[in-house]
Amino acid sequence: MSLIDIFSTQFSKLTVSTETDSSGNTLTSYTDDYSFTGALVLNSSSEEDSRLVRKYTLTVSPDIDLSYGDIFRRDSDGETFEITGEDTGESPEMATFSFRQFKAEDYSSSTTVSGSLTITDGSSTVILPLGTDYSVSKERMGSVATATDGTTVLDVIGIKVTLSVSDVRLSRTMAEALVMMIEASPFLSVTYPYVSGSVTADFLFDIPKITAYEFDDEGVSEWCAVSITATGKEVE
């Protein structure tokens, strides 16, 4: 296979935007900037500080504008990567055209985003407030082994997603509805924003943790600080 044969993977450059809300919280969002094609080749994988680090070479045409720290997505599976430098090494022998090469690594496996989450069992629905901070963590499932050359490799079975929300402020009515829904059926559908766009998937929910109660000035309305943890039902 020649380099040009694999020089057709579709990617999207992502633009990172941050803003501060009225409470002083920093909100981060990701939008598609532009699409490009190229070849992403895995060079090595190793365990560093108890996490798997995979390093790649990204080959693109010379007119593609990329630089250190840029984030891009592989459109076929939604995986995101970060440019860690430009590769100035020798050109591959198979190359017969002009190109640029960059060093890249997997983008952070745990991403904190902000926005509203919709949780539903198909008949009842709870929408968490706009601006809720939550963590989406992706963990590769598989077995780690050491090759004869000393390189650590991972036989990947799939990716498991964990969704967590800490101390989101909900009315007692909404918190009660959420707990009742999870107690009745631990598998619920969640729609949430992610770096690759809106995602809808089924999750296995733990019973939410209620950490505090609060009353308004008239002592009528009750508010709860609720923490939620859920794990993807399927391995991606």
Side-chain angles (χ1 to χ4, degrees):
M1 178 181 291
S2 68
L3 183 63
I4 198 167
D5 290 329
I6 59 174
F7 196 72
S8 58
T9 303
Q10 190 74 31
F11 299 97
S12 293
K13 163 72 168 51
L14 302 178
T15 295
V16 182
S17 300
T18 59
E19 60 181 27
T20 302
D21 64 14
S22 58
S23 300
N25 299 313
T26 300
L27 308 180
T28 304
S29 62
Y30 300 83
T31 55
D32 288 9
D33 190 356
Y34 56 82
S35 298
F36 64 93
T37 58
L40 186 68
V41 178
L42 176 64
N43 296 324
S44 66
S45 58
S46 60
E47 190 172 353
E48 300 178 10
D49 297 327
S50 300
R51 75 182 184 94
L52 185 69
V53 176
R54 300 198 299 181
K55 298 183 178 182
Y56 305 83
T57 295
L58 173 68
T59 306
V60 297
S61 64
D63 60 332
I64 300 300
D65 184 18
L66 293 172
S67 58
Y68 176 82
D70 283 348
I71 299 167
F72 63 98
R73 180 187 68 234
R74 183 167 55 204
D75 293 347
S76 61
D77 57 10
E79 285 297 296
T80 52
F81 309 88
E82 183 174 7
I83 300 294
T84 57
E86 187 159 4
D87 194 337
T88 57
E90 295 183 1
S91 303
E93 294 181 358
M94 67 176 71
T96 57
F97 57 95
S98 299
F99 60 87
R100 295 177 71 189
Q101 288 190 307
F102 296 89
K103 298 175 182 178
E105 294 183 11
D106 294 310
Y107 188 50
S108 174
S109 61
S110 180
T111 304
T112 299
V113 290
S114 298
S116 61
L117 292 85
T118 300
I119 304 172
T120 181
D121 61 3
S123 57
S124 300
T125 300
V126 170
I127 301 176
L128 301 188
L130 184 68
T132 295
D133 288 335
Y134 53 96
S135 175
V136 180
S137 299
K138 290 191 174 185
E139 178 184 1
R140 296 183 185 86
M141 308 297 293
S143 57
V144 178
T146 302
T148 55
D149 62 357
T151 302
T152 302
V153 296
L154 176 66
D155 183 14
V156 179
I157 299 174
I159 295 176
K160 199 74 170 177
V161 180
T162 300
L163 176 70
S164 61
V165 180
S166 297
D167 295 336
V168 60
R169 188 172 184 266
L170 302 179
S171 68
R172 180 179 180 180
T173 301
M174 183 180 291
E176 190 173 38
L178 178 63
V179 171
M180 289 178 62
M181 192 162 55
I182 293 173
E183 288 180 341
S185 175
F187 290 106
L188 302 173
S189 176
V190 182
T191 300
Y192 60 93
Y194 191 58
V195 293
S196 54
S198 180
V199 176
T200 299
D202 292 333
F203 284 81
L204 170 63
F205 279 77
D206 296 331
I207 301 297
K209 180 181 179 181
I210 311 297
T211 58
Y213 286 94
E214 178 182 311
F215 297 87
D216 65 14
D217 293 338
E218 298 180 358
V220 178
S221 299
E222 296 181 67
W223 297 86
C224 307
V226 182
S227 296
I228 304 167
T229 302
T231 305
K233 182 179 179 180
E234 306 290 343
V235 174
E236 295 181 355

